[in-house]
């Protein structure tokens, strides 16, 4: 086996810790306090990050990115809610099929991966610094929403599976591509991978 292609598996027997939800929301409060001003409305969006449809039977809206802020816009109520917790500009987003969870990730120093509960607007999962100095360029949820698939920006790229609902802060499976066999175009990966 080529040493540049590696698959790592993690023991998934970690127990779900209910206290982590409180810690995640404390983290969000600290991040919000660190901003020098309070945002009320955002005009414009980052055209390099896809806009997500957050519409359901009761809510009609979209999710878009403006710098390091994610924005849920409800066009029936003409309201916005800002998801702030990233230090760097958000580079990738994903949403579960049931529109309950939104994942945001950024690239750069102190990068982070955050999964938000779109209904109660709290942080459901948070990982910082797992992708050294690079971050995530693409991600998607499994059909049932339990697994998140991420593709790192750094070369060689890593494709990682996260069992995020168990609050595991390391992926349970990672595949590292050979340096000469990169999938740098997220659209290519998206069209060939189905969870």
């Amino acid at each position: 086996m080529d040493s540049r292609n590696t698959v790592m598996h993690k023991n998934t027997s970690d127990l779900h810790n209910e206290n982590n939800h409180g810690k995640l929301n404390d983290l969000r409060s600290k991040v919000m306090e660190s901003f020098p001003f309070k945002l009320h409305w955002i005009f414009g969006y980052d055209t390099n990050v896809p806009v997500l449809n957050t519409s359901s039977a009761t809510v009609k809206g979209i999710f878009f990115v403006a710098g390091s802020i994610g924005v849920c816009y409800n066009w029936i109520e003409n309201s916005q809610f800002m998801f702030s917790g990233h230090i760097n500009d958000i580079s990738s987003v994903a949403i579960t099929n049931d529109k309950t969870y939104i994942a945001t990730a950024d690239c750069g120093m102190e990068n982070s991966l955050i999964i938000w509960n779109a209904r109660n607007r709290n942080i459901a999962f948070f990982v910082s610094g797992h992708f050294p100095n690079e971050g995530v360029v693409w991600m998607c949820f499994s059909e049932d929403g339990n697994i998140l698939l991420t593709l790192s920006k750094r070369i060689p790229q890593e494709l990682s599976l996260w069992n995020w609902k168990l609050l595991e802060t390391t992926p349970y499976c990672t595949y590292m591509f050979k340096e000469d066999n990169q999938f740098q175009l997220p659209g290519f990966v998206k069209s060939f991978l189905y969870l």
Side-chain angles (χ1 to χ4, degrees), residues 113-166:
L113 166 65
I114 304 174
I115 299 178
W116 310 86
N117 185 318
R119 294 187 179 145
N120 66 23
R121 301 174 178 162
N122 289 326
I123 294 174
F125 180 76
F126 178 86
V127 174
S128 181
H130 177 77
F131 305 96
N133 303 323
E134 295 294 337
V136 173
V137 293
W138 178 84
M139 62 184 162
C140 72
F141 282 99
S142 61
E143 190 170 342
D144 63 5
N146 292 328
I147 305 295
L148 181 69
L149 176 70
T150 60
L151 179 65
S152 70
K153 181 179 178 182
R154 76 172 177 204
I155 305 290
Q157 287 180 294
E158 292 180 1
L159 197 61
S160 300
L161 294 171
W162 299 81
N163 198 355
W164 69 273
K165 283 194 175 177
L166 294 180

Side-chain angles (χ1 to χ4, degrees), residues 2 6 11 17 24 32 48 56 58-59 71 74 77 82 99 107 150 152 160-161 186 193-195:
D2 189 328
T6 351
N11 182 352
N17 184 350
L24 292 172
M32 292 299 291
N48 295 317
S56 65
T58 57
V59 175
V71 181
N74 181 323
E77 298 174 1
M82 284 60 156
K99 316 293 186 192
C107 289
T150 60
S152 70
S160 300
L161 294 171
L193 290 176
Y194 182 78
L195 293 177

